[in-house]
Amino acid sequence: MVRLNRIYTRNGDDGSTGLVDGSRVSKASHRPVVMGSVDEANAAIGLARLSASAATDAILSRIQNDLFDLGADVATPDGVEGALRIVPVQVDWLETQIDAANDTLEPLKSFILPAGTPSATHLHLARTIVRRAERDAVAAGDEISAPARHYLNRLSDLLFVLARVENAATGDVLWVPGANR
């Protein structure tokens, strides 16, 4: 278990950060960039939980924990024995949630705007941050595990579907092409 007695160490004052194996890398290198985007996504999901339905909140709670697993995965270079890694079953769980939630919705007939209820709007914001985290992970190449990249890809899909679920009572806010010409 993690134990933090002291919050600041001054070790990062030189622009570096420590990885799980004890090595230090620039805060601007791939792993810390991905870790930062994942952390930001997790905070946005926490914001979405404030107004989410109970069912959506339960899903988001599990995801927040998984995102800490993902952060540990990203912060651990290959070759560290016993490292905490994202595993395919975590990706499969996201797919199950996507399918179950999507089965309750009408098929899309238009693109939707990232708007609607407070919960849906916060979920859309979290989705866009997750998509950035995925782009960052792809830019990192083989430094980031395939299951971690897959998890981020599915997570953005799930957040989109959950935003639609949260808007179900009021309806999606549809894009009207050329509406303001």
Side-chain angles (χ1 to χ4, degrees):
M1 203 60 174
V2 175
R3 185 174 174 180
L4 299 173
N5 291 330
R6 189 168 174 191
I7 300 304
Y8 67 90
T9 63
R10 297 187 177 120
N11 292 336
D13 289 353
D14 65 355
S16 69
T17 191
L19 300 179
V20 171
D21 67 351
S23 64
R24 297 200 65 80
V25 297
S26 167
K27 289 180 180 182
S29 66
H30 288 300
R31 286 182 190 277
V33 168
V34 174
M35 292 182 320
S37 294
V38 169
D39 189 34
E40 188 179 347
N42 206 343
I45 289 169
L47 181 63
R49 291 184 64 193
L50 293 174
S51 57
S53 66
T56 296
D57 181 63
I59 293 167
L60 297 177
S61 174
R62 180 168 172 167
I63 289 166
Q64 284 194 292
N65 198 78
D66 280 354
L67 286 176
F68 264 73
D69 290 355
L70 196 146
D73 186 332
V74 171
T76 308
D78 289 340
V80 174
E81 190 172 323
L84 181 59
R85 302 286 183 197
I86 290 292
V87 294
V89 69
Q90 289 169 292
V91 177
D92 294 343
W93 181 82
L94 290 175
E95 291 176 357
T96 299
Q97 299 308 306
I98 292 166
D99 293 341
N102 203 45
D103 283 348
T104 69
L105 299 169
E106 292 294 320
L108 281 173
K109 296 179 180 146
S110 174
F111 286 108
I112 63 172
L113 301 178
T117 65
S119 178
T121 305
H122 289 130
L123 286 164
H124 280 298
L125 177 62
R127 172 186 57 80
T128 64
I129 296 168
V130 168
R131 288 181 64 159
R132 177 168 26 90
E134 181 187 9
R135 290 190 306 273
D136 292 341
V138 168
D142 290 341
E143 289 182 57
I144 309 302
S145 72
R149 290 191 315 268
H150 300 166
Y151 188 93
L152 292 169
N153 188 316
R154 296 313 179 286
L155 179 55
S156 65
D157 293 337
L158 177 56
L159 294 173
F160 175 80
V161 173
L162 289 176
R164 291 196 66 217
V165 167
E166 292 294 306
N167 271 342
T170 58
D172 291 316
V173 180
L174 301 179
W175 172 48
V176 180
N180 300 312
R181 289 182 172 191

